[in-house]
Amino acid sequence: LQLHHSGSYHCEGPGISWSLQSAPVTVTVHGIPLSGVSLSAQPPGGQVALGDSLVLNCSVAAGTGPLSFSWHRGGSGTELGTGPRLELRHVGDNDSGHYHCRVSDGDSMEESVPLNVTVL
């Protein structure tokens, strides 16, 4: 079911000389609130060697779509990327910091616990 399936429904069928129709039934489809936004890293733990790549993945345990993702570092409001995956190629010392993802369903927003990325 999708949210747009909400509405009034009835069934009808032909009789011998008339049409039969049931009483209407109202169906309401409710969205599932966002919950369980989490972040994982490859390599695990967020420790990456200088010059290597780091992949961060954002996942959602529950929530009615469509979902939008954004990536942030530290307290900065600057968006580093969109989508459930962020890849940092050829990391440098300036890539160290606390990363988190934000997920929105258009009505509410959930944020992951920050992951401390350390460039070795």
Side-chain angles (χ1 to χ4, degrees):
L1 286 174
Q2 300 293 321
L3 294 174
H4 69 270
H5 290 122
S6 295
S8 181
Y9 290 85
H10 70 273
C11 63
E12 59 184 59
I16 295 174
S17 61
W18 66 91
S19 179
L20 299 173
Q21 182 173 321
S22 72
V25 174
T26 299
V27 174
T28 305
V29 180
H30 298 280
I32 299 170
L34 281 173
S35 66
V37 174
S38 62
L39 193 155
S40 62
Q42 188 60 41
Q47 293 190 345
V48 60
L50 186 68
D52 282 355
S53 293
L54 174 70
V55 177
L56 302 176
N57 289 296
C58 188
S59 60
V60 178
T64 303
L67 302 177
S68 61
F69 296 81
S70 63
W71 290 92
H72 306 272
R73 181 175 61 213
S76 168
T78 303
E79 188 176 278
L80 301 175
T82 59
R85 182 176 184 269
L86 177 69
E87 183 173 0
L88 303 174
R89 296 183 178 148
H90 310 293
V91 295
D93 290 328
N94 59 339
D95 290 315
S96 292
H98 290 86
Y99 288 76
H100 63 273
C101 64
R102 290 182 185 151
V103 183
S104 174
D105 63 4
D107 293 323
S108 63
M109 190 268 302
E110 282 278 326
E111 194 170 284
S112 71
V113 172
L115 173 72
N116 186 29
V117 170
T118 305
V119 178
L120 305 172

